[in-house]
Amino acid sequence: MGEKIVAGGFDLSDRQRYRRKLQQCLAGLGRLLAEKRFDRPRNLMGLEIELNLADSDGTPRMMNAEVLSRISSPDFQTELAMFNLEVNIVPHRLDRHVFDQLAEELRTGLGYADRRAADVGSGLVMIGILPTLRQQDLVSANLSDVDRYTLLNDQIVAARGEEFTLDIEGVERLTCTSASIAPEAACTSVQLHLQVTPARFADVWNAAQAVAAVQVAVGANSPFLFGRELWRESRPPLFQQATDTRPPELQAQGVRPRTWFGERWVNSAYDLFEENVRYFPALLPICDDEDPLRVLDDGGVPRLQELALHNGTVYRWNRPVYAVVDGVPHLRVENRVLPAGPTVADVVANAAFYYGLVRALAEEARPVWSRLPFAAARENFEAACRHGIEAELLWPRPGRGGITRVPVVKLVRDELLPLAAAGLDAWNIEPADRDLYLGMIEERCRRRTNGASWQAETFHHALEAGLERDAALAATTRRYCDLMREGQPVHTWPVGFPGSDA
């Protein structure tokens, strides 16, 4: 969740001062863009994975501080709740064997961390939502002991002014309330970063928005929450509702939620930062001493701290990122739609599919977003979250006008996988690695299997074997963890349980 912040109160003048600083930061960003001060293209990508801690029974373990002390690596950090961790992979250049390198680094790092966690009776689980989570696990007392999370929770709760309502209707319906943002911690994701030049930013972001639904459909891995079977990818509705600062009256007025797909295609990175400032009140109005315009006048590069902090509290599924590295500013698109897991191979396959597809779509002469209404992209995203790999999406007809509704598995196999392959070729990815990882996506589509479908089928298998609901969810989680550690991609996983384990 970003930079370290010291908790403290805010007085009435803090938000006004912060608003003024945000406007100065926006003006500074505009000048940096106009003066073409940004880093040259370096084809850099980055990866973050949020993780759960669970015991041998598959139930959450509230001990991230102890596990992190045993891992003792700056690559691993706290996340929102005490059963969460995050691993960050250093940026890599997108070329040749980068995906095999990522896979090896992840297997090594996660394997080491899992062994250290096992020393204290815990283990890492790479999954979108841990099926064994209970509502009583997601309370403010189980938030990580970090000032940023405490302060963010306090500010969102104050802005909301009442309890948060969770109401998600899928295969079953879940309704409950929470006095804190802790249910957000149930959502563990993979975040894919791509550094881009300002000239390419809009095309890459628009392409990422257009394919967000496809990513979710083939990668869904979050069908359960608090013992209920909901959407195939239940993270997006949960995240939106668990961070929703709007009481029902503001929702009725059409005020935008802080967890947001967006509402239009963009022409510049500036569009997104400007929308964030215009539409969303500050949650953490903490001001830096920097005068960004004076820094620019003096020939320097401003950090734009207020803008970066505010940007981190608007939860777009494709987020713009401004950062300064070695004194040079750069822009990234941060793709946040994917759940964690099921295996390292699946995570890397999802990444290869995304980076190849975005590269190809961003370079099309007649881009998909010029032919697909933004409202259709937003509708696709919800359909993919609800139905996963069985979703049908709206998509432009190849070579013809208009749009049509097509099963996502057909769209991926007939049109998008060849585009992704061409995109990976443009990144100079080794053909054997391209075919290996895109082949995993193709097999998921051919077998109509992903993490969410496997979890749901295995859960129902356990119910049919006579287990009660909670026992079936626990058995499904234990079997998931066993197969996750074996490391074979999810489309190869057998449904059910070996012997009499169920």
Side-chain angles (χ1 to χ4, degrees), residues 129-181:
I129 296 176
L130 194 64
T132 51
L133 280 170
R134 303 164 301 168
Q135 191 175 355
Q136 55 264 40
D137 295 321
L138 292 167
V139 294
S140 57
N142 286 336
L143 294 178
S144 294
D145 187 17
V146 176
D147 280 347
R148 176 183 173 91
Y149 305 135
T150 301
L151 185 56
L152 187 65
N153 177 69
D154 291 347
Q155 293 299 303
I156 292 179
V157 169
R160 170 84 177 180
E162 60 187 77
E163 289 187 321
F164 298 87
T165 298
L166 304 182
D167 188 349
I168 306 172
E169 185 169 9
V171 177
E172 300 174 295
R173 185 175 183 180
L174 170 71
T175 58
C176 62
T177 60
S178 173
S180 75
I181 66 170

Side-chain angles (χ1 to χ4, degrees), residues 416-442:
L416 299 185
L417 277 172
L419 281 172
L424 293 179
D425 288 343
W427 289 123
N428 196 33
I429 300 300
E430 286 292 327
D433 293 356
R434 173 202 66 201
D435 294 344
L436 172 66
Y437 291 109
L438 294 186
M440 295 179 192
I441 303 297
E442 183 174 20

Side-chain angles (χ1 to χ4, degrees), residues 68-391:
L68 284 168
S69 70
R70 289 179 174 269
I71 295 172
S72 190
S73 167
D75 293 341
F76 288 82
Q77 301 174 5
T78 56
E79 251 297 332
L80 182 59
M82 292 180 181
F83 66 94
N84 298 144
L85 301 178
E86 181 177 85
V87 60
N88 296 276
I89 301 300
V90 297
H92 284 62
R93 184 176 175 83
L94 258 170
D95 65 5
R96 299 185 62 78
H97 290 289
V98 65
F99 295 115
D100 264 359
Q101 292 167 6
L102 283 172
E104 181 60 29
E105 288 179 28
L106 284 169
R107 290 189 186 102
T108 300
L110 293 175
Y112 170 78
D114 196 39
R115 292 191 295 274
R116 297 289 71 79
D119 292 342
V120 288
S122 188
L124 303 185
V125 187
M126 193 163 51
I127 195 169
I129 296 176
L130 194 64
T132 51
L133 280 170
R134 303 164 301 168
Q135 191 175 355
Q136 55 264 40
D137 295 321
L138 292 167
V139 294
S140 57
N142 286 336
L143 294 178
S144 294
D145 187 17
V146 176
D147 280 347
R148 176 183 173 91
Y149 305 135
T150 301
L151 185 56
L152 187 65
N153 177 69
D154 291 347
Q155 293 299 303
I156 292 179
V157 169
R160 170 84 177 180
E162 60 187 77
E163 289 187 321
F164 298 87
T165 298
L166 304 182
D167 188 349
I168 306 172
E169 185 169 9
V171 177
E172 300 174 295
R173 185 175 183 180
L174 170 71
T175 58
C176 62
T177 60
S178 173
S180 75
I181 66 170
E184 177 199 331
C187 306
T188 43
S189 66
V190 170
Q191 289 130 42
L192 302 174
H193 292 254
L194 179 60
Q195 183 178 334
V196 295
T197 61
R200 286 179 53 81
F201 182 95
D203 287 345
V204 171
W205 187 86
N206 288 338
Q209 287 286 96
V211 301
V214 178
Q215 288 180 272
V216 168
V218 299
N221 197 28
S222 315
F224 298 107
L225 177 64
F226 298 160
R228 294 288 182 267
E229 184 178 355
L230 303 174
W231 295 11
R232 285 300 182 249
E233 187 51 50
S234 303
R235 288 167 41 255
L238 170 58
F239 204 109
Q240 177 173 323
Q241 293 177 20
T243 60
D244 200 343
T245 56
R246 309 167 303 162
E249 295 81 5
L250 292 184
Q251 294 180 36
Q253 292 175 37
V255 172
R256 296 163 180 83
R258 294 193 84 96
T259 301
W260 197 34
F261 187 80
E263 60 192 20
R264 65 185 177 111
W265 308 117
V266 302
N267 298 309
S268 165
Y270 185 90
D271 293 352
L272 298 174
F273 287 101
E274 190 276 334
E275 281 185 350
N276 288 353
V277 171
R278 177 155 44 107
Y279 294 145
F280 300 102
L283 289 177
L284 303 172
I286 301 169
C287 287
D288 187 69
D289 292 334
E290 175 186 80
D291 182 334
L293 300 181
R294 180 172 295 173
V295 171
L296 281 167
D297 289 341
D298 292 341
V301 176
R303 298 185 304 275
L304 307 184
Q305 291 282 68
E306 292 83 5
L307 189 65
L309 178 59
H310 183 63
N311 189 59
T313 65
V314 179
Y315 305 107
R316 293 179 183 270
W317 296 109
N318 284 292
R319 175 188 278 168
V321 177
Y322 169 90
V324 179
V325 178
D326 297 328
V328 181
H330 76 248
L331 291 171
R332 302 195 305 271
V333 174
E334 180 189 17
N335 177 260
R336 302 160 48 82
V337 306
L338 286 166
T343 66
V344 167
D346 290 301
V347 168
V348 176
N350 289 339
F353 184 49
Y354 168 75
Y355 286 117
L357 193 52
V358 164
R359 173 71 184 259
L361 291 177
E363 294 181 352
E364 283 190 317
R366 190 172 173 228
V368 64
W369 56 91
S370 70
R371 298 174 285 138
L372 183 71
F374 193 91
R378 186 168 56 239
E379 179 182 330
N380 283 345
F381 187 67
E382 179 171 331
C385 292
R386 284 184 179 275
H387 305 296
I389 207 154
E390 300 297 334

